[in-house]
Amino acid sequence: TAMWILGGKLQKDYSHIKHDISSLFAVKAPNQRLMQTFIIISSILLFLFYLGLHEGLKDGGSIIGPYLFIIASILGMLVAFFFPLDEGGEMTTWRGKMHLILVVLMGILTVAGMIALWFRLKDVTGWTTFAYFSLIFKGGSEFVFSIIIFGLNEIYQRYDL
């Protein structure tokens, strides 16, 4: 989120309501390299966190959740390195279409990973609160945030703001 806000502030014609985050590191975007660096660093940090989380639990539970997160992190790095959105936010080339496919897959894997991790942690002593907090806060906040952005975008398009 901080990366998105900062990147949007640095790009003068960017609207956090009208444009998606992928536009910030699309081909020929003004701050493409900086935004790619943010995505890569974020993906690496998440990758390390998920590895540490899996190693730190040692409860003998399912490895599905952390592995889904790890795969999503790798996809994030692939998107940043090899599949930027096409110039102008379009999906006209194979790379642009792969961008969309990988980002959607990343989102699905992340949500599935959260649910799998919740199933694993909800009964582990000392982790129950974290399990419910992360499921409700992360999942709930992303849902609410998506609804707000979708609603604001509709208002902006309808009233030509």
Side-chain angles (χ1 to χ4, degrees), residues 13-98:
D13 61 341
Y14 182 81
S15 167
H16 289 90
I17 296 169
K18 293 181 181 180
H19 301 108
D20 56 48
I21 190 170
S22 294
S23 300
L24 293 172
F25 62 96
V27 174
K28 296 187 180 179
N31 299 302
Q32 180 188 21
R33 291 283 181 228
L34 176 65
M35 295 307 296
Q36 284 175 319
T37 303
F38 284 157
I39 294 284
I40 291 164
I41 290 170
S42 172
S43 293
I44 289 170
L45 290 174
L46 287 172
F47 181 82
L48 294 173
F49 171 74
Y50 301 139
L51 280 177
L53 179 64
H54 176 64
E55 288 299 314
L57 287 173
K58 299 205 186 289
D59 65 339
S62 171
I63 59 171
I64 293 173
Y67 279 0
L68 291 175
F69 288 138
I70 289 169
I71 294 167
S73 297
I74 292 169
L75 290 178
M77 288 184 268
L78 287 174
V79 166
F81 277 120
F82 304 112
F83 301 105
L85 195 59
D86 292 324
E87 186 175 358
E90 301 297 323
M91 289 175 284
T92 55
T93 67
W94 178 80
R95 285 169 46 153
K97 291 173 185 170
M98 281 302 296

Side-chain angles (χ1 to χ4, degrees), residues 114 117-123 127-136:
M114 277 187 334
L117 192 62
W118 174 76
F119 275 114
R120 177 179 177 177
L121 295 178
K122 68 181 177 65
D123 298 323
W127 286 92
T128 305
T129 304
F130 175 78
Y132 284 99
F133 172 79
S134 61
L135 183 69
I136 293 167

